[in-house]
Amino acid sequence: MTQSAPAPENTIGPRPERYIDIYRRATARLEACLPLGWSLSSDRPRSPEAPTRMLVSAPDGDTVSFSVVASRGVLSGDVARIAADLSDSDRGFVCAHYLSDPVRRQLDRHGISYADATGNLSLVADRPAVWVRDRGADADPWRGPGRPSGVLTGEPSDRVVRALADHVGEISVPELIKLSGASTGATYRVVEVLVERELVRRVPRGPIVEVRWEPMLRAWAAERKVCAVRRFTAPEGVTATRARLAERIDIPYALTGVGATDYAAPTLLEVYADDPDDFADSLGLRPVEHGGDVVVAIPWSPVVFERMDRRGGLRHAAVSHVYADLLTGPFRNDDAAEHVRSRLTADEHWRRPVR
């Protein structure tokens, strides 16, 4: 068991960019902190990728293998996914530019070893028994003033994520600014976050050439603000209320939740509306404290009303937004979310061409 003092920040050096360099920088201090007689080795990947496996060997020759997860940035919400991707018999080792204290605590809870390029590290194994821990920087030394927080929260994130999910094809950042309606500075900041989290791939100083829309929507759903909701009861029932709503063109709303899918017959009417009371009065709904069969959410941003679908006379939120709503928040339904995910993955014609 070894534990060292934090490294002086002026010895950290420039930020590594390639995965192989992130791995080498992150493991250099780990190797130096191993107990006497212990050693570290890995497979030989083709640069610029990091190794896929790392071996730690005890003096008697006994070894323990770790699956390497190299990333430019890891957030707390990513740790559960990393843990789920590991098999029950496998050990994980995460390396990154910088791992914040909340992320390190999450990795510790999941029993995942890690090291970042500033010297924060933890290596744990039962057989052969080893425990190595060290401290590096307490803040990201490469994050300057005005750099994005790394969290997909706020209206600019809503607009950029939705625009990227809803469109397919190579897209420049100026084109994304026009599609999303977000400001120039905010768009660039959100794109930087998405690139660092490997949710999109962008040519240096060039266009976005790949969008991993499913994990991007999943990350956005987990981190965006949760909408406040009001509950009502429909005296005539949900079916009759949906029929009345289809006849009204003067009520601004966007249908979401299970009722906006073909997963099952809706037992609830779940919608977005800027003014829940006005929406309820227009349809003769009665407010209730709990339960009810109509749930009205007040949207944080107007993006919920963009690129809506009209089916059966009803205005549905875009399927990308519906999918995100089914993942988390007041409209969450895990089974319906998986149903929608499989449909969207099987046929991506729901994504519109950029040009």
Side-chain angles (χ1 to χ4, degrees):
M1 177 183 78
T2 63
Q3 186 166 9
S4 306
E9 292 197 10
N10 59 3
T11 65
I12 290 173
R15 184 172 97 158
E17 296 298 336
R18 302 183 306 167
Y19 292 127
I20 184 61
D21 295 328
I22 292 171
Y23 173 81
R24 287 169 178 165
R25 181 82 68 83
T27 55
R29 194 162 183 202
L30 170 60
E31 193 166 16
C33 291
L34 286 173
L36 186 64
W38 288 69
S39 63
L40 183 153
S41 62
S42 64
D43 57 340
R44 295 181 178 273
R46 178 176 297 178
S47 181
E49 298 304 319
T52 58
R53 301 211 69 81
M54 180 181 77
L55 292 178
V56 177
S57 301
D60 62 2
D62 199 6
T63 63
V64 58
S65 174
F66 294 83
S67 177
V68 176
V69 179
S71 176
R72 292 186 177 88
V74 179
L75 298 182
S76 296
D78 300 323
V79 177
R81 172 186 56 78
I82 292 171
D85 288 342
L86 296 169
S87 65
D88 293 338
S89 60
D90 203 6
R91 290 186 171 275
F93 176 77
V94 171
C95 55
H97 289 140
Y98 173 73
L99 298 168
S100 67
D101 181 64
V103 171
R104 298 196 301 269
R105 285 189 272 111
Q106 286 284 338
L107 290 167
D108 288 334
R109 291 193 191 103
H110 284 84
I112 299 174
S113 297
Y114 56 83
D116 68 23
T118 77
N120 291 303
L121 63 90
S122 176
L123 184 80
V124 182
D126 299 325
R127 184 177 299 177
V130 62
W131 185 80
V132 180
R133 200 168 185 88
D134 205 354
R135 276 186 58 196
D138 293 324
D140 187 344
W142 299 292
R143 185 175 294 280
R147 288 286 300 279
S149 66
V151 181
L152 299 173
T153 301
E155 184 174 337
S157 294
D158 297 347
R159 289 185 171 278
V160 171
V161 168
R162 273 286 314 280
L164 287 171
D166 293 349
H167 294 86
V168 64
E170 189 174 288
I171 180 171
S172 68
V173 177
E175 288 174 323
L176 180 58
I177 291 168
K178 293 179 181 179
L179 277 177
S180 67
S183 69
T184 298
T187 302
Y188 275 98
R189 288 193 292 271
V190 175
V191 168
E192 184 179 355
V193 170
L194 295 172
V195 169
E196 285 201 349
R197 296 179 63 176
E198 300 169 6
L199 297 173
V200 304
R201 185 165 61 88
R202 182 187 177 201
V203 175
R205 299 183 180 276
I208 295 167
V209 295
E210 180 184 1
V211 176
R212 299 176 60 217
W213 63 263
E214 198 280 332
M216 180 181 69
L217 288 176
R218 188 174 291 275
W220 173 58
E223 297 167 18
R224 63 182 176 165
K225 293 181 179 180
V226 177
C227 295
V229 299
R230 297 281 304 280
R231 294 183 175 274
F232 303 89
T233 184
E236 299 177 1
V238 170
T239 301
T241 301
R242 285 171 64 96
R244 288 187 61 192
L245 189 59
E247 297 171 354
R248 300 287 297 268
I249 61 172
D250 58 325
I251 304 176
Y253 72 93
L255 193 68
T256 189
V258 176
T261 75
D262 61 353
Y263 173 69
T267 57
L268 294 174
L269 178 64
E270 299 170 306
V271 301
Y272 284 104
D274 287 323
D275 189 333
D277 292 324
D278 184 59
F279 178 85
D281 290 343
S282 299
L283 296 172
L285 308 177
R286 299 173 183 171
V288 293
E289 289 294 326
H290 305 286
D293 47 17
V294 179
V295 181
V296 183
I298 305 170
W300 279 106
S301 74
V303 74
V304 299
F305 302 115
E306 294 185 3
R307 295 180 289 277
M308 290 191 295
D309 297 323
R310 191 174 185 89
R311 302 195 303 272
L314 292 168
R315 295 191 291 275
H316 296 69
V319 67
S320 58
H321 207 107
V322 173
Y323 174 59
D325 285 344
L326 292 170
L327 290 170
T328 61
F331 305 122
R332 177 174 179 174
N333 185 306
D334 293 341
D335 292 337
E338 177 57 25
H339 171 79
V340 172
R341 185 202 64 78
S342 63
R343 293 283 298 270
L344 298 184
T345 303
D347 182 358
E348 293 196 13
H349 283 98
W350 55 275
R351 302 182 70 198
R352 309 177 185 193
V354 171
R355 300 175 185 86

